[in-house]
Amino acid sequence: MKNKHNVMSDMISQAVNRMPLSGIRAYFEFLGDDKNVISLAVGQPDFETPINIVKAASESMLNGHTGYTSNYGLIELREHLSNHIESLYDIKYDPNKEMLLTSGVSEALDIAVRAIIDPGDEVIVPEPAYVAYKPVILLAGGKYIPIPTYIENDFMVDPEAIEEQITEKTKAILLGYPCNPTGGVMSKEKLLKIAEIAEKHDLIIIADELYDRLVYDIEHVCFAALPNMKKRTILLGGFSKSYAMTGWRLGYIGAQAEILEAIMKIHQYVMMSAPTAAQYAGIEAISNGENEIEMMKSEYNKRRQFVVSELQKIGFKVSDPQGAFYVFPEVKSLTNKDGNEFAQALLKDQKVAVVPGDAFGESGKNHVRICYAASMPQLIEAMARIEKFVS
Ligand SMILES: Cc1ncc(COP(=O)(O)O)c(C=O)c1O
């Protein structure tokens, strides 16, 4: 007779048994709920969703829009999104056949990967990478092939390093820029080289561009808008970060019709449709959200400059994060502690929470992720505590 523990793990699929728990989640369990802790650990805006967006959703519900929508999502929102993407990046998605609304980029990522990956297919991913990339690839039966990126290059992935890893099993490259956790962005020049590689080896690019609107002093390059790339790119975008809508669970996919149809096959069974009230909120966000985006972005920019300069003054090696709202300093050289040791000691001694870099892959192990989407007074206090901790 097997003991209970074995029986339990036998009940769980091998794919799930192989999956590690999210490093971030493990860290939060360790964090507890001490009210004196300043948390720079959560990747979430400290702003509330702009009130006009909230009102649009509540009015939609009061007007009786409480049922499912089309599996693809409200055509009105798809049309708005399609025009919006065209005005930003000069690329046109047909709202009828090339756009799908999802429950956040989280769902979009999962169903995009599952729609294209067969067991054994390899997916190349620049690392440090967003925590969900590896698990969704493994769950689809794919093989995760990380390519380390470095602080010295502002965490831009080297196209040659990508090409070296390509085998006949390589199916896709998953690019997440602006990057969570590093704040890194990609130059157009490097993206063009990746586009050439994708064409040469007939690869699909999954481009997670959730943070496209949160870039500072530069222009975001939409991968799908590069020459010839629309046909082989699955564009993932969303509302969580730039519109401060993490709880609404709204994202989207843009892809050529055949690929979109394949992704939609999964979506219709696992999700049916994106949350209806959130879709009405999305229409308002796209139609009247620009001023709020700019206001939040300019706040983040001030905080970014402050945090980077404070970390540099303390003596950390820091890259210049030009996107998202994260900084990913290297902590080992200055403190002789790896990211885990640093984060735990900082929390214990000074009650500041940051995320150990290895939560985002092995290559992040001497770093920590600091999210600067917190209020300026909190950031000022947190930086003072970090300085005290180091000295
Ligand atoms: C790079 C990246 N992709 C996807 C997600 C998931 O976002 P959503 O809230 O749209 O599901 C996140 C959330 O932190 C993220 O940072």
Side-chain angles (χ1 to χ4, degrees), residues 56 72 76 85 129 144 149 178 186 201 219 238 249 273 333 349 375:
Y72 291 91
E76 199 182 346
I85 294 169
Y144 173 81
T149 63
M186 282 292 277
H201 298 275
E219 287 209 352
R249 314 312 305 128
S273 55
S333 320
D349 284 19
S375 73

Side-chain angles (χ1 to χ4, degrees), residues 38-237:
I38 300 179
S39 177
L40 308 181
V42 193
Q44 149 153 280
D46 65 322
F47 297 102
E48 285 174 11
T49 306
I51 193 71
N52 56 316
I53 298 177
V54 176
K55 278 187 180 154
S58 74
E59 273 161 26
S60 78
M61 290 189 277
L62 292 169
N63 287 329
H65 298 297
T66 52
Y68 300 125
T69 66
S70 134
N71 289 140
Y72 291 91
L74 291 171
I75 184 63
E76 199 182 346
L77 177 53
R78 282 181 278 141
E79 279 166 357
H80 276 290
L81 264 174
S82 165
N83 293 336
H84 186 65
I85 294 169
E86 186 178 16
S87 71
L88 288 171
Y89 305 121
D90 199 19
I91 176 174
K92 183 75 189 168
Y93 284 100
D94 180 344
N96 288 301
K97 292 190 285 201
E98 298 182 325
M99 298 225 70
L100 174 68
L101 301 173
T102 60
S103 186
V105 174
S106 303
E107 187 220 347
L109 176 69
D110 178 37
I111 60 180
V113 168
R114 281 198 278 160
I116 61 164
I117 294 302
D118 281 315
D121 284 347
E122 296 176 0
V123 184
I124 292 177
V125 184
E127 212 190 60
Y130 177 54
V131 288
Y133 294 167
K134 183 175 179 180
V136 297
I137 293 167
L138 297 183
L139 268 179
K143 206 166 159 202
Y144 173 81
I145 311 290
I147 310 264
T149 63
Y150 302 99
I151 196 164
E152 291 75 14
N153 309 328
D154 289 330
F155 298 103
M156 276 193 232
V157 66
D158 175 7
E160 279 168 27
I162 290 183
E163 194 158 26
E164 278 166 20
Q165 293 299 323
I166 292 175
T167 69
E168 73 272 18
K169 291 269 182 199
T170 309
K171 184 76 183 274
I173 304 171
L174 170 45
L175 296 175
Y177 288 98
C179 176
N180 173 6
T182 66
V185 298
M186 282 292 277
S187 68
K188 186 166 184 184
E189 190 197 350
K190 282 197 167 32
L191 288 176
L192 281 167
K193 289 207 176 118
I194 296 176
E196 255 175 54
I197 293 170
E199 194 79 357
K200 181 169 152 199
H201 298 275
D202 195 18
L203 304 177
I204 297 172
I205 303 290
I206 301 175
D208 175 356
E209 299 184 18
L210 176 57
Y211 296 92
D212 67 334
R213 305 304 309 283
L214 294 177
V215 292
Y216 311 100
D217 310 326
I218 55 155
E219 287 209 352
H220 175 72
V221 181
C222 174
F223 194 86
L226 297 176
N228 293 324
M229 283 302 112
K230 185 182 161 194
K231 65 176 192 291
R232 58 175 70 254
T233 302
I234 304 176
L235 169 66
L236 313 181

Side-chain angles (χ1 to χ4, degrees), residues 40 300-314 316 318-319 321 325-329 370-376 378-380 382-383 386:
L40 308 181
Y300 293 141
N301 199 11
K302 283 185 218 149
R303 299 170 188 187
R304 175 182 80 100
Q305 287 161 348
F306 170 73
V307 169
V308 169
S309 94
E310 288 301 301
L311 291 172
Q312 279 167 341
K313 270 192 238 156
I314 297 169
F316 290 108
V318 200
S319 66
F325 37 51
Y326 309 103
V327 193
F328 203 63
I370 295 176
C371 174
Y372 56 80
S375 73
M376 204 59 180
Q378 277 186 317
L379 291 173
I380 291 170
M383 290 302 124
I386 291 176

